[in-house]
Amino acid sequence: MIHKGNAHNNAPSESYFSTIKNELIYLEKFKTKEEAKLKIFEYIEVFYNRQRLHSALNYLSSKKIEDTCLQVA
């Protein structure tokens, strides 16, 4: 999927990691790597996927979109 020389291939993942850094990483002081891993996991699984509204998804959460797609299928 990644084509050499195409700068647009990484845009979605760059945006995703930027969001995590700005909403979690830069706001927290982690004492250990394990604490950081746990907080990042919780952020992604509990907040980012289930609660955070995404403009690209018509301001719905990822979980809401997934549930809607499963109901249609």
Side-chain angles (χ1 to χ4, degrees), residues 15-28 30 35-54 62:
S15 176
Y16 173 75
F17 288 114
S18 175
T19 299
I20 292 173
K21 288 177 184 178
N22 289 319
E23 294 183 359
L24 177 70
I25 304 297
Y26 298 148
L27 302 177
E28 296 263 347
F30 304 109
E35 180 187 7
K37 288 179 186 179
L38 179 62
K39 294 269 186 163
I40 292 167
F41 178 82
E42 288 175 356
Y43 172 85
I44 293 169
E45 290 299 323
V46 175
F47 177 71
Y48 190 87
N49 289 339
R50 298 173 191 263
Q51 298 173 8
R52 187 175 187 279
L53 305 180
H54 301 272
S62 300

